[in-house]
Amino acid sequence: MLKIIIVDDDALIRDSLTLILEMEADFQVVGTAANGQEAVALCGSAQPDLVLMDVRMPVMDGVLGTRRIREQYPATKVVILTTFKDEAYIKEALKHGASGYILKSQPAESIVETLRAVARGNTVLEAQVASSLTHMIREGKKMSQTDLELTDREMAVLEMVAEGHSNREIAEKLYLSEGTVRNYITVLLDKLSLRDRTQLAIFYLKHF
């Protein structure tokens, strides 16, 4: 059962999303909040697996809310849900550990599948958002595998993380165990001085 918190300053949206998600047998909405500050506090008591977070809210916006949640409750994943295709918000939310960024205009079934994908360990971006993000971050300085002292296998794992594959999918494609893939990701995070797989994905798109 995937435990979810819904965060939005619009009560109608909170109620609508709650109805949609609770129709799924594998979802349980364990709380709702009207801003990032309430969401952080609620994570302490409800211990959700995933937070569905709006961006523009009073008191504390979704970007800062994401940062606080990821710092205090690293096991909790955050998916940003918004009407705004704002590059600055996309960049900041992902930098602070969001695992996905989708638009409220998407069909309900698409939102549901995104949440399931994030729960499996993938990073999911709505198509228009992904296009914008890729264009934005590919402007960074290019690097080579040699510059970073990465092995061929480490490079293959990094590339697949950037493509949004879960550890299980990487293991199957590279004929490794999931434990070995986790070890490679730990080594990559250490070598590149990064915090999580979302930052690995952004690093790859920016520098390769």
Side-chain angles (χ1 to χ4, degrees):
M1 183 71 70
L2 186 65
K3 296 191 294 183
I4 302 171
I5 286 175
I6 297 168
V7 188
D8 199 294
D9 60 334
D10 187 326
L12 180 60
I13 291 176
R14 293 197 303 270
D15 292 345
S16 297
L17 286 170
T18 298
L19 287 172
I20 290 168
L21 298 184
E22 292 212 319
M23 290 177 66
E24 305 299 320
D26 53 335
F27 288 175
Q28 179 186 6
V29 177
V30 294
T32 63
N35 58 62
Q37 187 175 73
E38 290 182 9
V40 175
L42 190 55
C43 282
S45 58
Q47 298 184 329
D49 302 299
L50 193 148
V51 176
L52 190 54
M53 178 88 77
D54 190 22
V55 169
R56 300 195 183 190
M57 296 178 291
V59 184
M60 182 186 292
D61 68 21
V63 173
L64 182 54
T66 296
R67 178 180 178 178
R68 296 278 172 82
I69 288 170
R70 295 294 296 152
E71 287 173 348
Q72 297 179 38
Y73 310 102
T76 299
K77 296 180 172 64
V78 179
V79 172
I80 298 295
L81 177 69
T82 184
T83 57
F84 300 96
K85 292 179 290 184
D86 189 318
E87 290 185 353
Y89 277 111
I90 299 169
K91 183 177 180 180
E92 287 301 306
L94 291 174
K95 185 174 74 174
H96 293 310
S99 297
Y101 193 114
I102 55 180
L103 301 179
K104 291 178 181 177
S105 57
Q106 286 182 244
E109 60 268 24
S110 177
I111 293 174
V112 166
E113 288 309 312
T114 292
L115 298 183
R116 289 197 177 109
V118 168
R120 292 194 298 268
N122 294 339
T123 298
V124 181
L125 301 174
E126 191 272 341
Q128 291 172 287
V129 174
S131 175
S132 174
L133 178 66
T134 301
H135 174 74
M136 175 178 62
I137 64 183
R138 281 195 182 279
E139 296 172 359
K141 178 181 179 293
K142 301 304 177 186
M143 294 184 176
S144 71
Q145 178 179 340
T146 304
D147 291 335
L148 299 170
E149 299 182 350
L150 300 181
T151 66
D152 289 344
R153 185 51 58 86
E154 288 167 354
M155 193 66 200
V157 171
L158 176 60
E159 182 176 359
M160 294 187 72
V161 168
E163 291 172 350
H165 295 291
S166 66
N167 288 353
R168 176 178 295 180
E169 291 167 339
I170 295 172
E172 290 174 353
K173 289 179 181 293
L174 297 182
Y175 303 103
L176 301 170
S177 70
E178 287 189 58
T180 300
V181 172
R182 284 195 295 271
N183 290 340
Y184 273 119
I185 290 174
T186 299
V187 170
L188 285 166
L189 291 171
D190 183 59
K191 281 189 174 184
L192 302 176
S193 299
L194 300 173
R195 185 180 62 241
D196 53 38
R197 64 191 301 125
T198 301
Q199 289 193 348
L200 283 175
I202 293 172
F203 181 91
Y204 180 86
L205 290 172
K206 185 174 182 180
H207 295 294
F208 289 93

